Amino acid sequence: MNAVFDSAAAPDKDWWRGAVIYQIYPRSFQDSNGDGIGDLKGITARLPHVASLGADAIWISPFFTSPMKDFGYDVSDYTDVDPMFGTIGDFDAVIAEAHRLGIKVMIDLVISHTSDQHAWFVESRSSRINAKSDWYVWSDPKPDGTPPNNWLSIFGGSAWAWDPTRMQYYLHNFLTSQPDLNMHNPHVQEAVLDAVRFWLKRGVDGFRLDTINFYFHDQHLRDNPALAPERRNASTAPAVNPYNFQDHLYDKNQPDNLEFLKRFRAVLDEFPAIAAVGEVGDSQYGLEIAGQYTSGGDKMQMCYAFEFLAPEPLTPTLVADTQKAFQEAAPEGWACWAFSNHDVVRHVSRWGATVADRAAFAKLMAAVLMTQRGSVCIYQGEELGLTEADIAFEDLQDPYGIQFWPEFKGRDGCRTPMVWDSLAKQSGFSAADKTWLPIPVEHSLNAVHVQEGHEDSVLEQYRRFLHFRRTLPALIKGEIAFHTVSETGLVYARSFAGETVLCAFNISAEPLDLPLPDGDWQALEGHGFAGTAEGGKIRLPAWSAWFARG
Ligand code: NOJ
């Protein structure tokens, strides 16, 4: 039976504001058919785990038909499920079970590019004169045969690939097998919006929009200027990637996108309570663009920001500067923050937590993340405090890692299978003898069943904190104001509808006293941290926090 949209319900249109979204990477969540790769039936079976955490929604990374060159971010049919993941009926079952458990479902739309095996591209590349000849970004070479400009692919090399049939180059911001759709063409816009409607009719509650700021390119194909070395940063591409050497003025971030996003939003608004979060990958202008895309109430509800996905450890200053910069860039906007995802080194490893402090660090980071102003994504396995897996070169799957190995090992280390039960075969993930990526023994020792019921485990702390957060609207929808931003101490207040919640953190392994801001504060219970307050001071043991209502 199809999960169809139920017009009788009276939905909360604002459900996404401050929501906690649990990201599922379907290849690695749960395998139900023993092929060593996760699938949709596996997701359905494990949704009670997500419900037990208290997450509001899931975001499922792509499960559409795909040759899997970029593991599903290369779609060859927008309106079907890849057989590796199951059937459209299996997807309907995911929706039905999620809704039964009170969880919203967001799916990952990858419409900036398709796979080169998509029928649209097959037709487009077949000649210079066909109905879809302008559906992708084609350009003649320079007279010397080289590409039309200096644009670079994030995955390495020129962003242009040669097609000998058309005797032209086509644009690809990622793999050569991910040709960039020409969104300047209104027929392309219509076609992708049809795919959006298809999934809305099946009952999804929203979308994560892959690389939303890459939808449009400069039609004059102007060269990107060089970026001064001191302006380079590695938040969207690793430091060894020359993509960071350019100021991306022309290959992405084009103002034409704003009109398209309005069209997109109008489609969402044909259905009740649908939300979209746009992934804005840009090291220079990310927050500014997020501001543009989430302003006015007529484009995206949220943008997914990269500020906390960078290699640099999370510091009080980074948190305060980022929140302030976002408020400045996007006074009416709303961000969606994450510390980990399927593209970056898991944060307990990336930010260098020592073995001894790892669990305490993971718990504290969860509290910092879940008290940010904005919505929040947590990435499968984060709730177990999982570390980055070390994958041998011969086991590597990610083409990005193969390209930049060994300086950048790619994204496989954060994509290894979820660990459910340390005593079961493949930690309960799969009945296969070999899984698509290996499962580290250390992960297995931290499986869900190992942690479950142990009050001091990372998992139980995630559950506890998520439930604590749920009882405090200020932590969900509130404004943020900073009181203390020191080397390791961070105190801010979240306020909503006349209530303020003070949040104090010690981001260090040493005890710390911080000044208690003026006010009549009542300490809150039930968050699992050992901070206290007395005599005008907040006393915080190592890696701990304190919360109070005022
Ligand atoms: C961002 C996705 O998160 C990443 O996994 C993918 O490789 C690129 N976009 C290209 O779609």
Side-chain angles (χ1 to χ4, degrees):
M1 201 185 71
N2 287 353
V4 284
F5 132 70
D6 172 10
S7 58
D12 169 15
K13 278 192 171 300
D14 221 30
W15 66 264
W16 50 271
R17 194 183 291 277
V20 173
I21 304 164
Y22 184 90
Q23 184 193 351
I24 293 178
Y25 193 68
R27 290 182 78 87
S28 292
F29 198 54
Q30 177 66 53
D31 173 19
S32 76
N33 63 356
D35 65 356
I37 299 170
D39 46 47
L40 293 175
K41 278 193 172 134
I43 293 177
T44 303
R46 294 295 188 185
L47 281 176
H49 170 72
V50 181
S52 81
L53 281 172
D56 301 288
I58 51 171
W59 142 29
I60 313 176
S61 281
F63 50 83
F64 316 102
T65 318
S66 165
M68 303 288 164
K69 298 279 166 44
D70 190 21
F71 300 105
Y73 284 92
D74 49 328
V75 179
S76 54
D77 184 347
Y78 285 115
T79 56
D80 208 350
V81 169
D82 195 277
M84 172 185 287
F85 293 127
T87 64
I88 197 96
D90 294 335
F91 180 72
D92 293 338
V94 171
I95 295 206
E97 175 66 352
H99 287 173
R100 191 185 69 78
L101 294 166
I103 300 168
K104 307 267 184 198
V105 178
M106 304 180 84
I107 62 170
D108 201 331
L109 277 188
V110 191
I111 54 175
S112 184
H113 44 267
T114 67
S115 157
D116 61 353
Q117 293 179 35
H118 196 294
W120 300 343
F121 188 69
V122 172
E123 184 174 349
S124 189
R125 83 184 319 177
S126 66
S127 70
R128 290 194 189 199
I129 316 158
N130 64 68
K132 298 204 169 40
S133 60
D134 190 31
W135 277 43
Y136 293 81
V137 185
W138 291 100
S139 172
D140 290 332
K142 285 183 177 165
D144 64 1
T146 56
N149 62 25
N150 70 352
W151 297 352
L152 293 174
S153 152
I154 295 195
F155 288 164
S158 169
W160 297 95
W162 181 247
D163 182 81
T165 304
R166 283 183 60 141
M167 293 290 283
Q168 280 184 316
Y169 283 100
Y170 65 85
L171 180 66
H172 62 94
N173 289 300
F174 297 90
L175 296 173
T176 52
S177 57
Q178 291 169 299
D180 201 65
L181 277 167
N182 179 17
M183 285 284 195
H184 291 284
N185 182 332
H187 299 295
V188 174
Q189 295 188 17
E190 269 316 307
V192 298
L193 292 177
D194 280 348
V196 172
R197 284 193 187 90
F198 174 88
W199 293 104
L200 287 170
K201 286 180 188 153
R202 291 207 98 81
V204 304
D205 303 289
F207 300 96
R208 179 263 189 189
L209 296 171
D210 189 67
T211 57
I212 190 176
N213 56 322
F214 288 65
Y215 287 177
F216 289 80
H217 64 284
D218 171 45
Q219 288 183 287
H220 304 292
L221 305 184
R222 282 170 278 192
D223 277 340
N224 284 327
L227 191 67
E230 63 277 11
R231 287 185 63 210
R232 288 177 198 162
N233 79 62
S235 63
T236 53
V240 292
N241 190 340
Y243 187 84
N244 294 324
F245 298 5
Q246 292 190 355
D247 195 356
H248 292 274
L249 293 183
Y250 298 117
D251 51 348
K252 57 183 181 181
N253 301 339
Q254 299 306 292
D256 316 62
N257 205 15
L258 296 174
E259 282 313 303
F260 173 67
L261 295 182
K262 287 185 193 166
R263 289 191 74 190
F264 193 105
R265 176 61 180 269
V267 173
L268 301 188
D269 289 346
E270 289 169 16
F271 295 76
I274 305 299
V277 52
E279 182 208 24
V280 175
D282 192 278
S283 305
Q284 263 67 50
Y285 311 104
L287 294 181
E288 196 179 317
I289 290 161
Q292 292 169 14
Y293 291 4
T294 59
S295 70
D298 57 354
K299 295 175 284 293
M300 298 298 97
Q301 284 91 344
M302 308 173 264
C303 275
Y304 185 88
F306 278 63
E307 274 61 26
F308 301 138
L309 293 167
E312 292 72 35
L314 186 99
T315 59
T317 307
L318 179 71
V319 173
D321 287 356
T322 303
Q323 283 286 357
K324 286 177 194 161
F326 186 81
Q327 279 178 49
E328 234 163 70
E332 312 165 29
W334 195 257
C336 183
W337 308 107
F339 289 174
S340 284
N341 66 23
H342 64 295
D343 289 332
V344 297
V345 173
R346 285 184 178 275
H347 66 266
V348 290
S349 302
R350 192 171 83 242
W351 292 337
T354 62
V355 176
D357 288 344
R358 196 179 285 151
F361 180 85
K363 292 178 198 175
L364 185 70
M365 286 300 121
V368 174
L369 177 61
M370 287 190 255
T371 54
Q372 289 308 300
R373 177 176 186 267
S375 300
V376 168
C377 288
I378 55 182
Y379 176 51
Q380 65 182 51
E382 174 181 333
E383 75 277 27
L384 305 175
L386 294 189
T387 51
E388 182 78 356
D390 197 15
I391 308 292
F393 184 75
E394 52 279 16
D395 288 330
L396 224 58
Q397 303 283 331
D398 182 15
Y400 198 5
I402 293 166
Q403 173 79 18
F404 287 98
W405 176 275
E407 278 73 18
F408 169 63
K409 295 183 176 175
R411 302 165 295 176
D412 293 323
C414 64
R415 294 176 174 181
T416 55
M418 187 62 184
V419 280
W420 301 100
D421 181 350
S422 57
L423 299 176
K425 188 169 183 183
Q426 306 292 11
S427 303
F429 165 71
S430 169
D433 291 336
K434 192 169 163 46
T435 54
W436 80 283
L437 280 172
I439 301 175
V441 174
E442 191 215 310
H443 283 199
S444 189
L445 298 174
N446 287 292
V448 172
H449 285 184
V450 175
Q451 299 198 31
E452 206 145 43
H454 291 281
E455 286 307 299
D456 61 348
S457 68
V458 177
L459 173 62
E460 293 299 350
Q461 177 60 17
Y462 264 77
R463 288 178 173 157
R464 188 182 300 123
F465 202 81
L466 266 148
H467 284 91
F468 168 74
R469 181 183 187 276
R470 270 205 166 182
T471 63
L472 296 163
L475 293 186
I476 299 171
K477 297 185 196 288
E479 297 303 317
I480 193 164
F482 288 85
H483 289 280
T484 299
V485 181
S486 67
E487 206 186 324
T488 55
L490 179 60
V491 181
Y492 48 80
R494 302 282 317 276
S495 305
F496 181 75
E499 183 171 271
T500 296
V501 173
L502 195 68
C503 310
F505 302 96
N506 172 9
I507 308 183
S508 83
E510 304 302 324
L512 180 70
D513 284 355
L514 294 171
L516 179 67
D518 290 341
D520 184 13
W521 301 109
Q522 289 157 3
L524 288 161
E525 307 287 327
H527 47 71
F529 291 100
T532 53
E534 54 180 297
K537 279 188 181 154
I538 306 172
R539 315 207 88 129
L540 297 167
W543 309 116
S544 78
W546 182 75
F547 301 89
R549 196 198 306 258

